[in-house]
Amino acid sequence: MSTDLWDDASPPEADEVLPPVWEEPVPLTGNRKLRDFPSHTFPAWVREFVEAVAEETQTPVDLAGCVALSVLATAAGGRAVVHIRGNWREPTNLFTVTALPPANRKSAVFDLLTGPIFDAEKQLKTNTQPAIAEAQMTARIAKEAAERAATKAASADAGQRDALVVTAVGMAEAAEAVTIPVEPQLLADDATAETVISRMAEQGGRISVMSAEGEIFDIIAGRYSGAPNMGPFLKGHAGDRLRVDRQTRREYIDHPALTMGLCVQPQVLDDIGRIKGGRGRGLLGRFLYSLPESMVGRRKSAPDPIPAEVREKYTQRIIDLTLFLADWTDPAVLQLTTDADAALLAFQDRVEPKLAARGGAFGHISDWAGKLVGATARIAGLLHLAEHGTNAHTRPVTADTVSAAIELGEYFATHALAVFDRMGADPTVARATTVLETLRQHDAVDISKRDLLVKLSRSEFATVADLEPALDLLDDHGWVRMQPVQRTGGRGRPPSPRYLLHPRICGVATG
């Protein structure tokens, strides 16, 4: 069996001779080989800060790395897109979620990584204050002038009234036409679906939800509304036109760009897997998942602090990129070089066969993996912006940048498989677990497929075809071994295949 999801080595031949002794069986779940976070794929100034934050806080580098991607997406989301080929463009906003148990200093990491975004937001507010004050004064003067004109028209004699009414109406329309700029906001927290829509509408189509907690999933699931409200989050990720037309409000966003960077406790992953419609409508397929190993219990008491120059460089580069892109109305279009496009196309060709419902490594999470290439293109755009800053729109995205993004995509793929295992996304694994539990009640060392089917619930295993994928998985993991069928040569139904059971199924040590 391949030891890596991305190792395309051919599987062993079906008639390979089975080993003469039992080896330790592989658990059905919890045995995924998770990749380490490839922080080396970041430009140097991001990598140095991410690794320094992980060292000072004694947290997995995955956490700081995922938050860094979300910070870059906050700076760029809605203001830059990656042009892949033809009409295919990907925005640069992302949804990331990292799962870690309590006491992992998640808030400290979030504060360090997101601090420059808050600094940039303050600068944007300061820069906008004069324009807001001027517009407010203009609106007030225009409204007062319109009110005086209306009063004058109301008290005029019949010969002058019509002309004065026309003048008053014109002045009222002019007063209403004065637009007061909205105070800039980049980040929102604990926001309802309605708040997300309103903030995006106010902020030129973009907003970011960054949190070291998982309350946003409760909100999506219907904490306030009583029913799941996923529409704004689905469209905010994809960039699809979002329109709200109700009696109380009308909001139109042609190209919404919502970024979410979250850190949750592992239990939350189980809960979000039960959000009604979460899989069917594609919400869970939009997140990039990270399931790092907690460092609690093996942390250094006196870790190295973050070097001042490393923090200063990170802070200034994030602020510069955010301020530079903030005023863009039409997004900056990032083009791929020919080699970069070829690298992304080759990755797409590698992913596609794995989406097959039968036998594909991603077959049971095709709703997630079907977006993997697009997510990788988004990451490539963010890495490109981080590398070249305010000059990024004048340079094409290179093959090296795409290759770095692919490595990050492969990291997220292995972690997504583990997360969806927790959610029970693979029905074959669930059925194999049921079969294994049934075999534990069997009092013999082997069993026929026909006899096993009789022991199982017909509602879950109606036919032999329902049973075979589960048995194949148990065989592949070393829990059972199918024996060669002994044909008698006589008439009638052929004998049912028999399976030897691993000694551990009966509680016997293998020695």
Side-chain angles (χ1 to χ4, degrees):
M1 189 194 308
S2 171
T3 58
D4 192 310
L5 169 67
W6 299 100
D7 182 356
D8 293 322
S10 300
E13 295 296 331
D15 59 352
E16 180 180 343
V17 177
L18 292 171
V21 295
W22 288 100
E23 296 180 355
E24 192 67 17
V26 178
L28 293 174
T29 58
N31 62 303
R32 298 268 185 198
K33 181 177 174 60
L34 300 182
R35 289 199 169 195
D36 296 330
F37 189 88
S39 57
H40 63 270
T41 57
F42 285 138
W45 64 272
V46 182
R47 174 183 55 78
E48 290 170 0
F49 188 66
V50 162
E51 293 177 352
V53 167
E55 166 65 20
E56 180 175 291
T57 60
Q58 288 295 284
T59 53
V61 72
D62 314 54
L63 175 57
C66 290
V67 177
L69 281 173
S70 299
V71 167
L72 289 171
T74 300
R79 302 298 185 264
V81 298
V82 182
H83 178 225
I84 300 172
R85 66 187 79 92
N87 293 313
W88 186 5
R89 292 186 174 190
E90 288 287 343
T92 48
N93 55 304
L94 292 176
F95 286 8
T96 70
V97 58
T98 307
L100 277 169
N104 268 278
R105 300 167 179 166
K106 300 184 288 290
S107 295
V109 174
F110 264 78
D111 290 345
L112 288 166
L113 269 296
T114 60
I117 291 292
F118 285 100
D119 293 341
E121 187 177 82
K122 290 177 183 177
Q123 290 193 36
L124 288 171
K125 290 179 179 179
T126 299
N127 296 342
T128 309
Q129 280 306 313
I132 293 175
E134 181 181 351
Q136 288 173 336
M137 180 61 70
T138 300
R140 190 177 76 181
I141 292 172
K143 183 178 180 180
E144 290 173 351
E147 289 173 350
R148 288 195 298 270
T151 300
K152 186 176 180 180
S155 61
D157 57 42
Q160 295 180 315
R161 184 175 299 131
D162 289 347
L164 291 175
V165 167
V166 170
T167 300
V169 169
M171 296 180 71
E173 291 175 345
E176 288 294 327
V178 176
T179 301
I180 300 175
V182 177
E183 190 175 69
Q185 181 177 353
L186 300 174
L187 295 166
D189 190 8
D190 197 24
T192 65
E194 290 73 18
T195 302
V196 166
I197 297 172
S198 296
R199 293 293 174 269
M200 284 194 292
E202 293 170 356
Q203 303 298 324
R206 69 162 174 175
I207 199 67
S208 180
V209 177
M210 303 281 286
S211 176
E213 303 295 339
E215 290 94 341
I216 190 66
F217 288 116
D218 291 336
I219 294 169
I220 294 172
R223 175 198 289 175
Y224 300 119
S225 62
N229 188 354
M230 288 175 267
F233 301 94
L234 300 178
K235 293 183 177 181
H237 179 274
D240 295 337
R241 184 176 289 109
L242 180 58
R243 299 201 169 203
V244 177
D245 194 355
R246 298 175 182 168
Q247 290 183 341
T248 55
R249 62 193 178 101
R250 292 183 179 181
E251 292 166 322
Y252 305 138
I253 311 172
D254 285 334
H255 300 289
L258 173 63
T259 285
M260 287 204 282
L262 311 172
C263 187
V264 302
Q265 294 184 22
Q267 177 62 41
V268 175
L269 296 178
D270 304 330
D271 296 337
I272 66 176
R274 292 189 288 270
I275 293 178
K276 185 177 180 181
R279 288 294 302 277
R281 295 188 60 190
L283 175 68
L284 303 185
R286 283 166 164 76
F287 282 91
L288 298 175
Y289 297 95
S290 175
L291 198 62
E293 183 179 355
S294 172
M295 293 181 63
V296 173
R298 50 192 179 89
R299 295 176 292 192
K300 289 192 257 181
S301 299
D304 296 331
I306 301 170
E309 64 276 11
V310 170
R311 183 169 185 174
E312 289 169 5
K313 183 182 292 186
Y314 171 83
T315 298
Q316 196 58 52
R317 292 291 291 266
I318 292 295
I319 291 174
D320 289 347
L321 181 62
T322 305
L323 297 182
F324 173 71
L325 290 172
D327 294 331
W328 285 62
T329 51
D330 294 330
V333 180
L334 309 179
Q335 304 284 353
L336 303 181
T337 65
T338 301
D339 289 344
D341 180 53
L344 191 64
L345 186 62
F347 182 58
Q348 188 175 355
D349 288 339
R350 290 172 60 202
V351 170
E352 186 63 25
K354 301 179 188 299
L355 301 177
R358 295 181 64 85
F362 297 142
H364 62 295
I365 60 165
S366 58
D367 56 323
W368 184 91
K371 299 177 179 65
L372 177 56
V373 177
T376 300
R378 296 185 185 204
I379 293 171
L382 295 175
L383 296 180
H384 179 77
L385 288 165
E387 180 69 35
H388 300 291
T390 57
N391 294 317
H393 63 293
T394 67
R395 301 166 178 257
V397 180
T398 66
D400 286 343
T401 300
V402 169
S403 295
I406 289 171
E407 191 169 347
L408 281 161
E410 292 174 342
Y411 162 87
F412 285 117
T414 61
H415 285 248
L417 284 165
V419 167
F420 281 101
D421 278 352
R422 288 186 62 104
M423 297 180 188
D426 191 343
T428 301
V429 172
R431 288 182 173 181
T433 301
T434 298
V435 172
L436 185 57
E437 291 305 312
T438 300
L439 291 174
R440 293 187 191 280
Q441 309 303 317
H442 188 58
D443 57 1
V445 297
D446 69 346
I447 191 172
S448 72
K449 184 185 295 185
R450 189 176 297 128
D451 290 342
L452 176 57
L453 185 62
V454 171
K455 292 176 176 286
L456 295 165
S457 168
R458 297 304 295 270
S459 63
E460 188 173 5
F461 299 91
T463 66
V464 170
D466 297 321
L467 175 59
E468 285 175 346
L471 280 173
D472 289 344
L473 186 63
L474 289 171
D475 195 331
D476 189 45
H477 282 63
W479 288 101
V480 301
R481 292 182 194 163
M482 188 173 74
Q483 300 300 98
V485 176
Q486 302 295 327
R487 299 192 179 274
T488 62
R491 296 182 178 181
R493 185 169 59 177
S496 176
R498 299 193 69 83
Y499 288 82
L500 284 177
L501 310 186
H502 192 285
R504 279 201 176 275
I505 291 179
C506 302
V508 179
T510 55

